[in-house]
Each structure stands twice: as structure tokens, then as C-alpha cells.
Amino acid sequence: MRAVRVAGPGDVSVLDIPSPEPAHGEVLLEVAATAVCSTDRKFAARGHDSPRTPGHEVTGRLLDGTVVGVHPEIACRRCQACLAGWHNRCPYREALGLDRDGGFAELVAVPSSQVVPLGDLDPVIATMLEPLACAVHAVEVAGIDTARPAVVVGAGAMGILCAWVLQAAGSRVVVCQRSPQRRRLARDLGVNAAIGPDEDPADHLGEPPAAIVVTAPGAEPLAWGLERVAVGGVVHAFASLPGVVPVDVNVVHYRHLTLVGSTGSRLQDYERACDLAASGAIKLERLPHRVVGLDGAPAAVLDRPPSGVLKTIVAVS
Ligand SMILES: [Zn+2]
Ligand SMILES: [Zn+2]
């Protein structure tokens, strides 16, 4: 079969390799499409000690033609984290496309427990269910009171998806974003308001936001969130940050804040994401995206996407 292989730092190509052999309890999927995530970009830039196929935002078809999505965090289901329900934080988990071969290939083998039927959802668009599940997870982990307004910092794919999840739950959402073009894009995508970092979200919401989800990397966006959230509010550190980022704990202390984080998602978050998409509550097709073929995948994981494109999807079959 044809598959994208990362062999070393920046060394990414499409090769013919043997088809995967599903192990006991696994199924073989004909990959329909796999979306590119920043994790894939980091992986491609960094390389891997042995050739590996990236891609964890995968949809495909079972041998009987059923269209399915894949929840990519394959947990041990026995450890303390798993028994507490945190499959996505299992220290023994295998992440699809990192610890085992992922979806930028014609075929992928995955445990049958990770497969979710997608009904009538378009398999190309449904690749975005995986990042949507991460947004669902973040909002739930943060315990956000969605009867009150919220702010999302950053209008990239994760920022917009977090804003949509909050809005679908009833929250009014202001997006804070430095670039005017991205602010315009966020408004076009239906957020209640989009502001720059010099503005106060309370002016647009009538009160300070009860929660701020920080999807932009760096110390500044996190500090901004801690200063602008309501007293007693929640700040979610959603972005992975380059290096160590200092946080003024006195702001957390004196303003009675809760600072939380989460990464990835659980199977139930993925299923909730499916429900949100299937009901039309969240229209994933509106997220600005482009579709390329498998031959376009190496460039898609190595190069920056064209401006205005928030998601690149590799359509395989
Ligand atoms: Zn991802
Ligand atoms: Zn575990």
C-alpha cells in the first residue's frame, strides 16, 4: 500500500510499504481521509527513530463499507488513569500516528474499540471530529458554566472549535486575536465578537468572562487570560507552550482563579463531537479547509498552509 513515511527530521515521503496486519481485537480500515494536525507538523519536523506513518484525525471504511471515525488514544484500560476515566492520559497508551502507524496511508489497523460509526457524516469533513472532541473535552474538564459568557484566545482551528463548542452549549463567546484578518474570519464564522488584546472583553459581554480558553501559545496570551477572566473564573491552558512559561501565581491566588489544562480527548468526547456534527449544532464544513491527495501530504505536513486555511485534509479514497 502507499503510505506517508517520516524517516528523519524533515524527511517525509510517500512510499510503497507492506499493508498492516491487524492484531487480535483490531480491524483494518480503508482510509477515507486524514486531517493534518500541528502534532503531525511537529512530528515531521522532529523525525522519529524508525520510519513511521503520522496522522491521527482519521476516517475510513470497514470491510463491509461502514464509514467510521477513529478515536486515536489507545489506552491500556487497566491503570489508575484509565480506571479514573482518563484514557487520554494513560501513561501506557499508544497514540495513533505517533506510537503506531497512523492514517496518512491507504490502510490503517486500529483496535475495534476505537472505531465509531459516522452514519451519514461526510468522511472528509468528519476528520475534524477528532480536534472537535479535544475542544469538547477542554470545555468539560474546565467545568465551564456555559450560562455565562466566555472568551477564547486565538482564532486558529482549535480556537474556533472551542468557540463553537461553547456557543453550542449556550455561552456567548468573544474571541481575542491579534491579527485583524483572523478577527474578521472569526466573526464570519459566527463568534459573538472578535477583539484585539488591547480591548476588554467585558465591554462586549456586559460582564467579565467566567472562563477563558487560551489556544494561542506563549506567556502573553496566558497572562492576558488570567488578568481578564472574572474573579473566581476559570482559565484553560489549551495550547502547548514552547519551553517553560512563567505564570504569576499571585494573580491566581488573589483573584481566586482556577487554572486548568487538558490535552486530547476521551472516547465519549469523540462520540459527543459526532452528535454535535450529526445534529447540525456544529457545522464542521464551515471551518476553512483545503483538501489534498496522498501525494500532497508530505508538503502539507512540512509547509505552512496558505493563509486563511485552518485545516488541511488529505483525502485518500
Ligand atoms: Zn490532532
Ligand atoms: Zn491506562
Side-chain angles (χ1 to χ4, degrees):
M1 68 161 183
R2 300 176 74 236
V4 174
R5 300 297 267 178
V6 175
D11 180 356
V12 185
S13 52
V14 180
L15 300 175
D16 266 310
I17 62 167
S19 298
E21 300 270 351
H24 180 70
E26 294 186 352
V27 289
L28 192 62
L29 290 186
E30 194 185 339
V31 175
T34 300
V36 177
C37 176
S38 56
T39 311
D40 300 311
R41 295 184 201 285
K42 286 180 209 159
F43 179 23
R46 197 182 58 222
H48 195 269
D49 42 18
S50 59
R52 171 75 26 104
T53 299
H56 60 271
E57 302 181 355
V58 188
T59 63
R61 291 177 192 86
L62 296 170
L63 292 181
D64 67 2
T66 306
V67 176
V68 296
V70 179
H71 182 252
E73 313 233 34
I74 302 159
C76 83
R77 294 168 182 256
R78 286 187 298 274
C79 73
Q80 181 271 337
C82 283
L83 294 177
W86 299 112
H87 288 184
N88 51 329
R89 291 293 81 206
C90 167
Y92 312 108
R93 78 192 184 288
E94 282 190 311
L96 188 68
L98 277 179
D99 304 316
R100 57 186 282 157
D101 285 336
F104 294 121
E106 290 175 324
L107 297 166
V108 66
V110 293
S112 53
S113 57
Q114 305 301 123
V115 159
V116 178
L118 295 182
D120 296 332
L121 290 172
D122 175 338
V124 172
I125 298 301
T127 54
M128 294 185 275
L129 288 171
E130 196 280 333
L132 180 61
C134 299
V136 167
H137 186 57
V139 169
E140 188 172 323
V141 164
I144 294 173
D145 176 2
T146 51
R148 294 185 58 201
V151 166
V152 174
V153 182
M158 289 318 303
I160 296 298
L161 292 175
C162 285
W164 285 350
V165 169
L166 287 160
Q167 286 183 310
S171 210
R172 278 180 305 130
V173 179
V174 164
V175 163
C176 175
Q177 164 70 50
R178 200 172 280 283
S179 125
Q181 293 94 318
R182 280 284 172 96
R183 286 204 289 274
R184 212 170 308 125
L185 178 68
R187 281 185 210 109
D188 290 346
L189 294 175
V191 305
N192 296 84
I195 62 171
D198 299 334
E199 293 176 74
D200 188 344
D203 294 341
H204 295 263
L205 295 167
E207 59 177 305
I212 297 189
V213 181
V214 181
T215 70
E220 255 174 66
L222 191 59
W224 187 94
L226 294 170
E227 296 282 356
R228 301 291 180 154
V229 75
V231 166
V234 181
V235 174
H236 189 298
F238 194 95
S240 71
L241 305 178
V244 176
V245 167
V247 171
D248 184 349
V249 177
N250 271 328
V251 178
V252 179
H253 172 66
Y254 285 114
R255 303 195 68 238
H256 284 212
L257 305 184
T258 304
L259 176 60
V260 299
S262 72
T263 182
S265 67
R266 301 160 300 178
L267 183 62
Q268 66 257 44
D269 303 310
Y270 192 94
E271 289 168 339
R272 173 83 186 120
C274 288
D275 292 344
L276 286 166
S279 69
I282 289 182
K283 296 183 170 54
L284 286 173
E285 65 276 12
R286 292 191 65 203
L287 198 76
H289 61 277
R290 63 171 175 156
V291 180
V292 302
L294 195 57
D295 288 319
V301 296
L302 288 170
D303 304 336
R304 285 177 68 84
S307 82
V309 171
L310 299 190
K311 205 73 185 162
T312 297
I313 302 168
V314 176
V316 179
S317 67

